[in-house]
Amino acid sequence: MDIVVALIFCAVVLFGADRLLLWLESRGHVNWRRRRRRPLSEEPRAGLDSMLSDHSHR
């Protein structure tokens, strides 16, 4: 009987986590299930490229 209760508890926790992530996705905080990832070519370029490039012109 303890195993059944543990499995039901795990299912409830996973369902709650899924609903929480879907709610966060609707607010634009995370990408969870409903939106696909954008290709990396569409992502904005960060200043990290310029920080890691060769600074021999100084």
Side-chain angles (χ1 to χ4, degrees):
M1 189 64 161
D2 291 337
I3 292 176
V4 173
V5 171
L7 288 174
I8 291 173
F9 179 75
C10 289
V12 168
V13 168
L14 289 174
F15 179 76
D18 182 56
R19 298 307 301 172
L20 175 66
L21 286 168
L22 285 173
W23 178 76
L24 288 172
E25 184 182 40
S26 71
R27 303 264 185 223
H29 298 295
V30 295
N31 288 333
W32 177 240
R33 284 193 302 161
R34 306 246 167 107
R35 291 188 216 160
R36 296 183 185 256
R37 287 186 179 174
R38 290 182 285 175
L40 289 177
S41 61
E42 292 179 10
E43 294 292 325
R45 297 199 73 121
L48 186 61
D49 292 337
S50 63
M51 288 173 34
L52 296 176
S53 66
D54 185 21
H55 290 291
S56 60
H57 64 279
R58 288 185 182 186

